[in-house]
Amino acid sequence: MEKNDKLEKVTSWAKRRGFIFQSSEIYGGLGGVYDFGPYGIALKNNIKKLWWKTFVEGREDVVGIESSILMSRKVWQASGHEGGFNDELVECKKCNQRFKADDMPEGKCIKGGEHELTEPKAFNGMFKTYVGVNQDESAQTYLRPETAQGMFCDFKQVMEVSRKKLPFGIAQMGKCFRNEINTKDFLFRVREFEIAEIEYFIKPGEDEKAFDMWLEAWEKFVLLVGLKKENLRHYDHPKEGLSHYSKRTLDIQYNYPFGWKELTGLANRTDFDLKSHAEASGKDLQYFDAETNEKYFPFVVEPTLGVDRLVLAVILEAFEELEPRTETTEAATEKEIVLHFPASLAPVKVAVLPLIKKLSTDARKIYDDLKTCWPVEFDESGSIGRRYRRQDEIGTPYCVTVDFDTIEKDQCVTVRDRDTMKQERIKISELKNFLFDKLGSF
Ligand code: ATP
């Protein structure tokens, strides 16, 4: 499959199967904004749950918070975003299209020849809004373009209530908004997206060790959600190109169909953020180290993850188009699509399928029972082959088929494996345990 062909296929599959589609579609859509349908949100929530479990519930040195999307404008002034969260905008004098100067699309101007570009000018990527009834400068603020500032502003408060000592981290996941000049590549570059990140506070001098520790933990996580090692690589930003606050920035790139691109990043933000907020707010944001009797601004290592970019990578990794695997159904001439999601991420874990409608009452009893343990679907419409295909396409790991023998003979069902298509007869009384071994609890 051609690489970009794969992105197109994935995009149309995502819409057809109700995973992800354009926002405001009935009005022609809104550029760079997507909605997650029933299966899409289940997949995304499973990824987020796993992240929270791994990094917040699974660690003693990290606590979770949810800070707000709207914050005082002063936050964005102190952080440097109001003055400096800029992209370089250029415009073609012939076709009037606007581009991000360092990310020009390939190809010629639609009016013919090369684009004729204006000098770059700074374009601030934050969405402006107003708080309260006065719609003037005094009431202006922004939708947050990152979650980090909430964690810096809450640092003292959170440290005190959670009775933590350094090193410790604050984690959160949440929506961010960036008015990107050019949105593209499906979920990769959008205007509304989620970030999952940790601000890890350490004693100055311990930052490099913490950076390496988080790089390892971050990489382990992206492998855990099913990305292959060969599709991941590091990009260490050269010192000259670093943001003013950063001592080191490293991206973990993923091999997307449109090239190796940043999936997640790690930054050593030094003590820049706490110092800036202390200075601007007049509040003491230093840490008192009881062991050494010193007061200092902690350094911060920040591992950050774009949830939507990860959802896209997980889908690309799981998506497979195959020649027909079965010869017995009327669908046998069509290509098959299978989503090989890890079971922990699959939106639906099990589908219960009565062979024919007459068996529905008995099959429903099994469905009702399994539903107490996992997200399960019941499907009685269409041929059994079609129903298997439907479940393969949404990545359901197991299908349970109820047939005449189930009722009349052996009290067994057929359990079909999505990836191997292997079928096993399992006693109804042992079904839950069988599935529990394969799926774990949800
Ligand atoms: P890029 O260079 O690709 O614009 P960035 O370096 O500005 O990204 P960060 O500010 O580090 O990104 O944002 C943290 C994470 O948020 C990134 O690692 C990425 O996964 C995600 N992200 C950033 N911008 C977008 C976007 N427009 N759409 C989707 N995810 C994004």
Side-chain angles (χ1 to χ4, degrees):
M1 204 185 314
E2 281 295 309
K3 285 205 136 192
N4 266 311
D5 196 28
K6 184 159 186 190
L7 186 68
E8 249 172 57
K9 284 191 170 151
V10 158
T11 310
S12 82
W13 160 86
K15 178 172 157 54
R16 195 173 68 249
R17 285 293 170 206
F19 276 70
I20 303 150
F21 38 85
Q22 184 122 57
S23 152
S24 318
E25 209 174 59
I26 59 167
Y27 291 103
L30 183 65
V33 189
Y34 286 91
D35 290 350
F36 285 74
Y39 296 131
I41 191 59
L43 172 67
K44 186 178 181 187
N45 280 343
N46 289 343
I47 293 175
K48 287 165 62 180
K49 260 190 250 168
L50 192 60
W51 187 86
W52 196 261
K53 205 169 150 196
T54 308
F55 295 115
V56 181
E57 293 167 5
R59 294 186 64 120
E60 214 177 335
D61 57 348
V62 177
V63 293
I65 65 163
E66 181 177 280
S67 69
S68 47
I69 288 170
L70 291 173
M71 298 178 81
S72 164
R73 183 177 179 180
K74 290 179 184 155
V75 172
W76 305 111
Q77 288 166 336
S79 67
H81 283 80
E82 188 173 272
F85 192 66
N86 295 329
D87 278 326
E88 303 266 274
L89 174 74
V90 289
E91 185 173 340
C92 173
K93 291 180 203 160
K94 291 195 291 188
C95 67
N96 298 110
Q97 282 194 83
R98 290 169 172 187
F99 306 103
K100 200 173 160 188
D102 62 0
D103 193 19
M104 286 292 298
E106 284 167 16
K108 305 264 182 212
C109 175
I110 43 168
K111 293 276 168 84
E114 301 296 322
H115 288 293
E116 233 174 76
L117 300 175
T118 56
E119 282 301 305
K121 69 175 188 230
F123 172 77
N124 193 294
M126 287 195 294
F127 282 96
K128 276 187 196 151
T129 189
Y130 300 95
V131 178
V133 290
N134 287 337
Q135 303 250 311
D136 59 24
E137 227 352 61
S138 69
Q140 191 194 303
T141 191
Y142 304 93
L143 302 185
R144 68 177 176 197
E146 58 167 47
T147 61
Q149 300 307 322
M151 298 188 267
F152 297 131
C153 291
D154 292 351
F155 161 70
K156 206 70 193 249
Q157 170 103 322
V158 174
M159 192 178 63
E160 278 164 16
V161 294
S162 55
R163 295 167 45 240
K164 293 288 180 200
K165 291 198 177 75
L166 296 192
F168 96 103
I170 305 180
Q172 79 167 315
M173 283 186 275
K175 285 268 184 170
C176 297
F177 303 84
R178 294 186 188 180
N179 199 3
E180 296 280 356
I181 296 170
N182 298 121
T183 58
K184 59 179 177 180
D185 299 326
F186 194 24
L187 292 183
F188 184 81
R189 189 165 299 286
V190 287
R191 295 196 167 102
E192 177 177 337
F193 56 96
E194 273 187 84
I195 285 182
E197 66 186 351
I198 298 169
E199 303 306 324
Y200 198 69
F201 301 94
I202 50 251
K203 191 174 177 175
E206 291 179 7
D207 46 316
E208 288 175 21
K209 201 172 78 202
F211 194 100
D212 293 341
M213 181 268 286
W214 279 108
L215 177 57
E216 202 185 317
W218 229 231
E219 222 155 28
K220 230 170 152 180
F221 183 73
V222 290
L223 293 172
L224 185 68
V225 295
L227 306 194
K228 290 199 193 81
K229 218 178 166 100
E230 66 261 30
N231 285 330
L232 297 165
R233 74 176 191 193
H234 292 172
Y235 173 70
D236 230 321
H237 288 244
K239 287 253 174 319
E240 322 76 79
L242 294 180
S243 314
H244 54 288
Y245 55 76
S246 180
K247 189 169 147 190
R248 183 180 177 197
T249 300
L250 182 145
D251 298 341
I252 300 177
Q253 298 183 330
Y254 180 71
N255 187 14
Y256 288 98
F258 39 89
W260 287 94
K261 301 273 172 175
E262 173 181 346
L263 164 67
T264 102
L266 284 100
N268 180 340
R269 299 184 70 122
T270 66
D271 55 4
F272 171 82
D273 304 274
L274 288 179
K275 261 189 182 157
S276 306
H277 286 301
E279 205 182 309
S281 67
K283 298 284 182 316
D284 181 5
L285 300 180
Q286 291 185 89
Y287 175 77
F288 175 68
D289 192 328
E291 273 172 31
T292 59
N293 247 345
E294 291 171 283
K295 246 177 133 182
Y296 52 81
F297 286 102
F299 264 44
V300 173
V301 167
E302 174 195 76
T304 179
L305 175 75
V307 177
D308 306 72
R309 286 187 187 179
L310 184 59
V311 170
L312 178 57
V314 165
I315 290 174
L316 285 162
E317 199 79 68
F319 184 92
E320 190 182 15
E321 194 179 52
L322 298 159
E323 292 307 320
R325 297 192 295 178
T326 44
E327 281 139 29
T328 48
T329 69
E330 78 270 28
T333 52
E334 296 162 19
K335 287 210 162 132
E336 293 187 20
I337 289 173
V338 183
L339 271 292
H340 302 280
F341 294 127
S344 61
L345 302 186
V348 176
K349 311 291 179 201
V350 186
V352 178
L353 316 172
L355 192 61
I356 56 162
K357 278 202 179 144
K358 221 169 145 190
L359 300 165
S360 287
T361 313
D362 292 285
R364 252 192 193 284
K365 281 188 203 143
I366 296 172
Y367 164 79
D368 286 339
D369 188 33
L370 297 182
K371 190 94 185 116
T372 59
C373 303
W374 301 280
V376 182
E377 257 187 19
F378 183 81
D379 188 2
E380 58 182 7
S381 62
S383 73
I384 193 73
R386 284 259 176 229
R387 281 180 277 163
Y388 283 149
R389 300 266 315 261
R390 207 147 46 208
Q391 295 303 327
D392 288 345
E393 274 206 40
I394 63 166
T396 306
Y398 296 99
C399 286
V400 170
T401 306
V402 176
D403 55 29
F404 285 107
D405 284 354
T406 311
I407 315 301
E408 288 163 9
K409 261 200 197 150
D410 58 4
Q411 290 293 303
C412 285
V413 289
T414 303
V415 180
R416 171 190 180 269
D417 181 299
R418 172 195 68 198
D419 299 330
T420 61
M421 298 209 324
K422 203 176 133 211
Q423 305 203 353
E424 279 180 80
R425 290 295 280 179
I426 306 289
K427 281 217 161 314
I428 296 175
S429 57
E430 284 160 19
L431 181 61
K432 253 191 189 161
N433 276 344
F434 175 85
L435 290 170
F436 192 79
D437 280 348
K438 307 269 186 197
L439 298 167
S441 59
F442 181 63

